[in-house]
Amino acid sequence: MNVLIHTWWFSKYKGSEFSVAYNFVLEMSKYHKLYVIVESTSYALNDIKELESYQFQNCQFITVKSNMVMTIIYKIQEWLQKKSRILSFVGAYLYLNLWERALYKQLKSDTDLLKKIDIIHFLGPVGYHEPGYLYKLKKRYIWGPVGGFENVNKQLLRHYYSGKKNIKIKGLINNFIINTSLRVKKIMNTADVVIACTNSNKDVIDHKFKCKKLIYFPENMMRIYQRAIMSKIEVEKKYIDIKLLNVIWCGSFVPRKMLNLLIDILKKTNRTRINMTIVGGGDDAALLTELHLNNVHHVGHIPRTEVEKYWKSSHLHILTSSHEANTTVMFEAMEYCVPTIAIDICGMADLIENNIDGIKIPVSDYNVMCENFANHIDMLSSNPKQLMNMALNLREKSFNYTIDIKDNFYNNLYNSIATN
C-alpha cells in the first residue's frame, strides 16, 4: 500500500515527537511504501540535514523549500523567541501555516505522486492547532494520534516555577481555536478516522466535533518487540534485595514538567532509603542551584543511549509533569519494568493502573500532593515486595504496548480503510 505520512519533527536522537515519527516510519516502511513529509530533524525550522543519514526501505522523504516570505517569518520568529514566548508561539504557527500551504500546493501539482497514494496519514505534529490542507487532496484520510485539546490544570498552573502568564494566554488561544476553527471542524467531519492520543483528548473531541470514526490509541509506545520484554526472573532479581531504592526523574527542565514539584517532594521523603537521579536540563535548571539534598544527583542532559544505564538500575520512576500526552519516559520505564508514580491526569491517567502497576496522585492542594508523593515513595522504599509486585504487573501490561501491537493496529487500520 502507498501511504503519504505527514510528520513535522523527525529524528532518531531528539525528543518525544521526533522519535515518535522516526519509530513509526522505521516500522511501517517494512509493510508499505511510504512517502514521508518532514519539516525538520532538529529544533531549528527547516533543518533537514539529518535525513541524509537515514536509509529506510520503501521510503521516500518529501520536504518543502522555504520561500522568501517563509524565510522572513522564520527570522522574525527567531527574534521573537528572545523577547516573548507567546509572540514566538504565534510566529511559529504563522510559519507552519505558510509551510502547510506550500506543501499542499507542491503535492497538488505532483499528479504522478497523487495517483500512487492510497491513504494520507496526518501523523504529526501531535497538536491539532495547525492541521494543514492535505485533506483537500481527496484521498482516504487518517488524522492522529492527535492531542492538544486540553489546557493545563489550573490548580497545577498556580505552582509553575515560571511561564504562568504564557501558559494562560496559550489556554485562551487554545479555547478560541477549538470553538472557531472551521478547518479543524472540516477535517474532523470528513476524515475517515480520527485517532485521539489520550482518552481525555478523545472526550473533548467527542464533545466538540462530529467524526465518522473516533478512536483512542497512544501516539507513543515502547521501542521493543514482545520477545525483548524482561523475563519474570530478571524482574524478580532486580527487586528481590533492594538495600537502597534507586529512583529516577527524567525530562527537560521546562515549566510543565514541574521540576519544582519534584524538589518539594524530595524535601519531604526519607532520603536515607533512596538514591535519587535527576536526568535532564533546560530553562528551569536554576531550580537545582539551591538543591543540596543527600542522595540526590543531577547528571544533566545526556543522550538517550546513556540514559538506559540509569533505567536498568532504577526501581521507581517519578513523573511530575502537569501536561503530557504519552511521554516517552513512561514507555522507557515500562521497557525496564520500573513502576511510575505520577499525577492522575492526561496520558498518565490512561497508562497507570493505580496501586497495581504504578501509583496515581490525585490533583489537590499543592502541599497535600507533595505529602502524597513523599508518603508513597517512603512506603515503597520500606516495602520492596509491593514494588516488586507492581513491577511484575507492569511487565504483564507491557505486552500491550510493544512494536508488534502498534504494527498490527496500523496495518489493520490501513487495510480496513483502503478496502472500505
Side-chain angles (χ1 to χ4, degrees):
M1 197 175 299
N2 296 322
V3 186
L4 181 65
I5 304 285
H6 185 297
T7 72
W8 176 254
W9 285 331
F10 187 96
S11 174
K12 181 180 180 179
Y13 309 103
K14 304 298 189 304
S16 290
E17 246 183 278
F18 291 91
S19 60
V20 164
Y22 177 90
N23 292 330
F24 185 90
V25 170
L26 179 65
E27 281 304 306
M28 298 312 292
S29 61
K30 298 174 183 177
Y31 309 99
H32 309 282
K33 171 66 177 179
L34 302 184
Y35 299 87
V36 183
I37 301 161
V38 176
E39 200 284 332
S40 180
T41 56
S42 76
Y43 291 99
L45 296 174
N46 213 226
D47 175 10
I48 55 174
K49 293 189 292 290
E50 199 177 292
L51 288 182
E52 297 174 2
S53 65
Y54 297 140
Q55 294 180 339
F56 294 95
Q57 59 181 354
N58 298 323
C59 179
Q60 177 181 322
F61 290 109
I62 297 172
T63 59
V64 177
K65 290 184 178 179
S66 296
N67 56 37
M68 185 181 295
V69 176
M70 291 165 65
T71 301
I72 293 171
I73 294 297
Y74 177 37
K75 294 295 182 183
I76 293 173
Q77 191 270 341
E78 279 188 319
W79 179 78
L80 288 173
Q81 202 166 16
K82 302 172 185 176
K83 302 294 181 181
S84 167
R85 285 185 180 181
I86 281 298
L87 291 177
S88 173
F89 173 80
V90 174
Y93 273 103
L94 178 56
Y95 172 88
L96 175 52
N97 181 263
L98 293 171
W99 186 87
E100 291 289 356
R101 289 175 183 273
L103 171 66
Y104 170 67
K105 185 178 179 181
Q106 177 178 313
L107 292 176
K108 187 180 179 182
S109 64
D110 193 342
T111 54
D112 290 337
L113 174 60
L114 287 179
K115 287 177 182 177
K116 299 174 185 175
I117 300 301
D118 300 303
I119 293 172
I120 296 174
H121 184 176
F122 196 102
L123 180 71
V126 173
Y128 76 95
H129 302 88
E130 178 44 70
Y133 299 89
L134 299 189
Y135 70 97
K136 291 185 174 184
L137 296 176
K138 301 188 184 304
K139 296 284 183 177
R140 297 291 191 185
Y141 196 88
I142 300 170
W143 190 12
V146 62
F149 293 91
E150 295 178 290
N151 290 325
V152 177
N153 180 280
K154 292 179 181 179
Q155 176 84 347
L156 297 174
L157 179 58
R158 284 201 289 270
H159 296 279
Y160 269 32
Y161 175 72
S162 62
K164 294 178 190 178
K165 182 179 179 181
N166 291 332
I167 300 298
K168 286 179 181 178
I169 295 172
K170 280 187 178 181
L172 293 173
I173 294 172
N174 193 44
N175 291 336
F176 178 79
I177 294 173
I178 289 174
N179 291 300
T180 62
S181 176
L182 296 178
R183 189 150 41 99
V184 171
K185 183 178 180 180
K186 174 74 173 177
I187 300 174
M188 287 289 180
N189 291 344
T190 59
D192 293 273
V193 177
V194 175
I195 308 169
C197 65
T198 66
N199 276 308
S200 49
N201 274 287
K202 182 174 180 286
D203 290 341
V204 176
I205 295 170
D206 199 31
H207 177 69
K208 292 287 185 179
F209 305 98
K210 290 182 179 179
C211 304
K212 290 181 181 178
K213 186 175 183 179
L214 173 63
I215 54 180
Y216 156 67
F217 195 77
E219 91 278 11
N220 208 350
M221 296 180 80
M222 294 196 302
R223 302 160 295 180
I224 60 176
Y225 294 93
Q226 290 188 1
R227 62 180 178 271
I229 291 174
M230 291 175 67
S231 69
K232 288 183 179 180
I233 293 174
E234 289 174 315
V235 176
E236 288 171 350
K237 184 179 179 180
K238 183 177 181 179
Y239 286 87
I240 194 68
D241 187 26
I242 300 176
K243 293 181 173 60
L244 197 63
L245 190 71
N246 290 328
V247 186
I248 186 171
W249 185 99
C250 184
S252 54
F253 294 175
V254 293
R256 67 183 174 84
K257 300 287 186 179
M258 293 195 76
L259 180 64
N260 57 308
L261 174 58
L262 173 70
I263 292 171
D264 290 335
I265 292 165
L266 292 175
K267 289 176 181 176
K268 296 178 181 293
T269 57
N270 182 354
R271 290 183 304 284
T272 61
R273 294 201 296 255
I274 70 170
N275 177 51
M276 181 77 221
T277 300
I278 300 173
V279 181
D283 295 344
D284 287 352
L287 281 166
L288 293 179
T289 58
E290 300 176 5
L291 183 63
H292 302 290
L293 300 175
N294 295 332
N295 293 351
V296 178
H297 316 281
H298 176 221
V299 298
H301 181 77
I302 57 177
R304 285 190 180 279
T305 50
E306 291 184 31
V307 179
E308 289 181 10
K309 68 180 180 182
Y310 293 101
W311 284 117
K312 287 178 181 178
S313 61
S314 293
H315 304 114
L316 180 65
H317 170 224
I318 301 179
L319 181 57
T320 53
S321 292
S322 63
H323 197 241
E324 296 281 2
N326 313 111
T327 180
T328 298
V329 293
M330 283 286 293
F331 294 100
E332 288 176 338
M334 192 180 290
E335 286 178 26
Y336 295 98
C337 298
V338 180
T340 294
I341 176 170
I343 306 173
D344 188 13
I345 49 173
C346 305
M348 292 78 82
D350 294 330
L351 294 173
I352 298 173
E353 193 171 354
N354 200 30
N355 294 316
I356 304 297
D357 52 42
I359 294 173
K360 295 190 282 192
I361 303 298
V363 176
S364 60
D365 174 80
Y366 183 79
N367 290 323
V368 172
M369 287 178 62
C370 290
E371 292 282 355
N372 232 335
F373 265 99
N375 289 340
H376 279 93
I377 293 167
D378 288 343
M379 179 270 294
L380 292 172
S381 68
S382 60
N383 189 3
K385 186 175 181 181
Q386 183 174 349
L387 193 56
M388 180 196 286
N389 290 334
M390 284 185 178
L392 289 169
N393 289 333
L394 185 60
R395 176 189 175 273
E396 292 301 314
K397 174 182 277 189
S398 67
F399 284 92
N400 298 321
Y401 295 97
T402 58
I403 291 175
D404 319 59
I405 296 296
K406 192 171 188 176
D407 288 357
N408 291 336
F409 172 82
Y410 281 106
N411 281 325
N412 291 334
L413 182 62
Y414 288 173
N415 289 330
S416 66
I417 290 175
T419 57
N420 200 345

